[in-house]
Amino acid sequence: MAWFRRRTRPRPASHHVAPRSEAVAVARVELADLAPAPERFLGQTAYLTIVLFENLGRAVTTAPTTDAKTRLTHAASELLAMHQELVGLLREHHDDPTAQMDPFRLPLDDFQRRTKGADWHEILVTCYLTNGFLLDFFAGLAAGLPRDLADRAAEILQRDKGEEVLVGELRLAIEENPRVASRLAMWGRRLIGDTMLVARSAIEQHGTAADAAAVDERVDPVFTELIAAHTRRMDALGLTA
Amino acid sequence: MAWFRRRTRPRPASHHVAPRSEAVAVARVELADLAPAPERFLGQTAYLTIVLFENLGRAVTTAPTTDAKTRLTHAASELLAMHQELVGLLREHHDDPTAQMDPFRLPLDDFQRRTKGADWHEILVTCYLTNGFLLDFFAGLAAGLPRDLADRAAEILQRDKGEEVLVGELRLAIEENPRVASRLAMWGRRLIGDTMLVARSAIEQHGTAADAAAVDERVDPVFTELIAAHTRRMDALGLTA
């Protein structure tokens, strides 16, 4: 995939919930007809939000101050609420939530292992960058779901991800010890490959090579925008992407 | 402390929120005038609920099935909500939540380390038994707080602790492999000492040895009842306390 080749092909954004970020807006337009079946989308995002919650749980546990701990609990709550509401949507859709999440368990547990982070600061960077990238991506992809579900899933996935506390703690750490910055910049760059693979795996696969190439062409501008958002997140920490 | 010596000295229970368990009811009556200052009570319970949440987070992370993971997230949410509401009460009371929680950090982190558990089943037993014991204890102790705060704190601490899912998973594991039972029974017995010390540390200390003995006398029936509740929890798993 040539993710960095920029294309523009405007398509009408068709849904009500206003996108919070440019990356979400572009994903909505470009991926509108590439969304997986609803139960697949919900199964993957429901399991993903457990994984992102677990990462935040480790951030709470390893936090070096009571203040950081208690502030991070809010971000953990948000992810748990997202998970529970996505499971609720699966139930409304008459699906067994566990059966729909199970196929995503191995790849997402593997993603978690590879993006785990060696200490508190790396864990925070993982939470900040992978939550931002993946929740933006899936919020955009949600536009391709049946209308009512699209709005509800997008609303859930675009909620506050606790970025403020993650950025605040990371900035503080980098100010206190500038040598941390280069290590975290490297960690941020390492995360992006695994994170993109999770996003790409969500898009409906088509039969022929020509179809696959056509899908890649549609996905390119979305990844370009998601990477631009990733770069802005790194900038917010004063790190080079 | 002679925790097993039973005494009865009825005192009027003075508060509105109906106690969910006999242990809470006895603690209310006996400890009515031994509650610590409100900011101390709230600081300790606010930090405690972080610790209990972290234990549940580890249970989610180490759960061997998607079904167990997603069911345990509800218990984790409950503990996070308790934590946030206790922090909210500290704020209403014009206290800096961090400053009030900080004195409890070292002892409660130490409690967490000593009750950590070596695998998923031990982690579940820790969550089930320590959450049950300590939240019952503090819900009872809350009766000694100023009236309005007493009701609100008791209501928060008596909410569902996710016992159903913890018991369900543990019963399943014990049925599947009866050899697990004796190991978990031993683990359950080991937990109780550390758990009682956390509870005892919450009670206001008095100056003289005679005062301390008088306090112990008051505390005895409460611990007797809490230990009876602990035994019932072990029974519910088919384990001998």
Side-chain angles (χ1 to χ4, degrees):
Chain A
M1 285 172 279
W3 284 321
F4 293 87
R5 189 159 33 88
R6 190 179 267 283
R7 291 171 51 261
T8 43
R9 174 170 33 163
R11 259 181 221 125
S14 59
H15 291 292
H16 288 136
V17 179
R20 288 250 188 91
S21 83
E22 188 57 25
V24 176
V26 171
R28 277 188 180 200
V29 172
E30 296 290 334
L31 305 180
D33 55 344
L34 292 178
E39 66 279 10
R40 202 176 123 84
F41 178 92
L42 294 173
Q44 185 168 14
T45 51
Y47 198 85
L48 176 66
T49 47
I50 297 184
V51 164
L52 302 181
F53 157 71
E54 289 176 5
N55 293 345
L56 279 164
R58 285 181 66 231
V60 172
T61 302
T62 55
T65 66
T66 304
D67 184 51
K69 256 184 206 279
T70 193
R71 290 172 65 207
L72 285 165
T73 62
H74 290 274
S77 290
E78 279 298 335
L79 265 294
L80 279 178
M82 285 186 198
H83 167 69
Q84 283 159 13
E85 291 184 44
L86 293 164
V87 166
L89 291 179
L90 273 171
R91 282 222 183 81
E92 280 179 36
H93 198 258
H94 309 296
D95 284 305
D96 170 10
T98 304
Q100 296 303 335
M101 287 188 274
D102 259 339
F104 300 101
R105 176 156 199 194
L106 273 181
L108 288 175
D109 282 359
D110 190 45
F111 164 70
Q112 185 180 44
R113 228 172 350 257
R114 280 179 291 134
T115 59
K116 195 169 178 176
D119 60 17
W120 192 60
H121 294 133
E122 289 191 4
I123 294 169
L124 290 185
V125 169
T126 296
C127 292
Y128 174 49
L129 296 178
T130 66
N131 293 11
F133 192 106
L134 291 172
L135 296 174
D136 272 7
F137 171 78
F138 282 104
L141 189 61
L145 298 172
R147 178 58 169 267
D148 177 53
L149 185 58
D151 286 351
R152 294 170 69 192
E155 186 275 315
I156 293 168
L157 294 164
Q158 286 193 95
R159 285 189 203 147
D160 177 38
K161 312 160 181 62
E163 292 203 347
E164 201 181 322
V165 47
L166 295 168
V167 170
E169 291 294 335
L170 283 167
R171 276 194 185 144
L172 209 65
I174 290 167
E175 268 168 39
E176 278 174 7
N177 182 0
R179 287 166 58 193
V180 165
S182 64
R183 184 165 61 83
L184 294 183
M186 192 155 26
W187 180 243
R189 287 192 288 272
R190 268 196 50 191
L191 290 172
I192 196 68
D194 286 319
T195 306
M196 286 202 288
L197 287 176
V198 170
R200 187 64 182 80
S201 75
I203 292 166
E204 204 55 81
Q205 300 302 312
H206 292 269
T208 69
D211 286 344
V215 168
D216 278 350
E217 214 180 303
R218 302 272 300 287
V219 172
D220 279 353
V222 176
F223 278 96
T224 303
E225 201 49 62
L226 287 167
I227 289 163
H230 170 83
T231 303
R232 286 191 291 275
R233 282 187 200 99
M234 295 281 272
D235 282 347
L237 301 179
L239 302 180
T240 311
Chain B
M1 284 172 279
W3 284 321
F4 294 88
R5 189 157 36 86
R6 188 178 269 283
R7 291 172 51 262
T8 42
R9 173 168 37 163
R11 260 181 219 123
S14 59
H15 291 292
H16 288 135
V17 179
R20 286 250 189 91
S21 82
E22 188 57 26
V24 175
V26 171
R28 277 189 181 200
V29 173
E30 295 290 334
L31 304 180
D33 55 343
L34 292 177
E39 65 278 9
R40 200 176 125 84
F41 179 92
L42 293 172
Q44 184 168 13
T45 51
Y47 197 86
L48 176 66
T49 46
I50 297 184
V51 164
L52 302 180
F53 156 72
E54 290 177 6
N55 293 345
L56 280 164
R58 285 181 65 230
V60 172
T61 301
T62 54
T65 66
T66 304
D67 184 51
K69 254 184 208 282
T70 193
R71 291 171 64 208
L72 285 165
T73 62
H74 290 273
S77 292
E78 279 299 335
L79 265 295
L80 279 178
M82 285 185 198
H83 167 69
Q84 283 159 15
E85 292 184 45
L86 293 165
V87 166
L89 291 180
L90 274 171
R91 281 221 184 80
E92 280 178 38
H93 198 261
H94 310 295
D95 283 305
D96 170 10
T98 304
Q100 296 303 336
M101 286 187 275
D102 259 339
F104 300 102
R105 178 156 196 193
L106 274 181
L108 288 175
D109 283 359
D110 189 45
F111 164 69
Q112 184 180 44
R113 229 175 346 262
R114 279 179 292 134
T115 58
K116 194 168 179 176
D119 60 18
W120 192 60
H121 294 133
E122 289 190 4
I123 294 170
L124 291 186
V125 169
T126 296
C127 292
Y128 174 50
L129 296 178
T130 66
N131 294 10
F133 191 106
L134 291 173
L135 296 175
D136 271 7
F137 171 77
F138 281 104
L141 189 60
L145 298 172
R147 178 59 168 269
D148 178 53
L149 185 59
D151 286 352
R152 294 170 70 192
E155 186 276 315
I156 293 168
L157 294 165
Q158 284 194 94
R159 285 189 203 146
D160 177 38
K161 314 159 178 63
E163 292 203 347
E164 200 181 325
V165 47
L166 294 167
V167 170
E169 291 294 335
L170 282 167
R171 276 193 186 145
L172 209 64
I174 289 166
E175 268 167 40
E176 278 174 9
N177 183 359
R179 285 166 58 194
V180 165
S182 65
R183 183 165 62 81
L184 294 184
M186 193 157 21
W187 180 243
R189 287 192 287 272
R190 268 196 50 192
L191 289 173
I192 197 67
D194 285 320
T195 306
M196 285 201 289
L197 287 176
V198 170
R200 187 61 182 82
S201 75
I203 293 168
E204 204 56 80
Q205 301 302 313
H206 292 268
T208 69
D211 286 343
V215 168
D216 278 350
E217 213 181 304
R218 302 272 299 286
V219 171
D220 280 351
V222 177
F223 278 96
T224 302
E225 202 49 63
L226 287 166
I227 288 163
H230 169 83
T231 303
R232 287 192 291 273
R233 284 188 199 99
M234 296 281 272
D235 282 347
L237 302 179
L239 302 180
T240 311

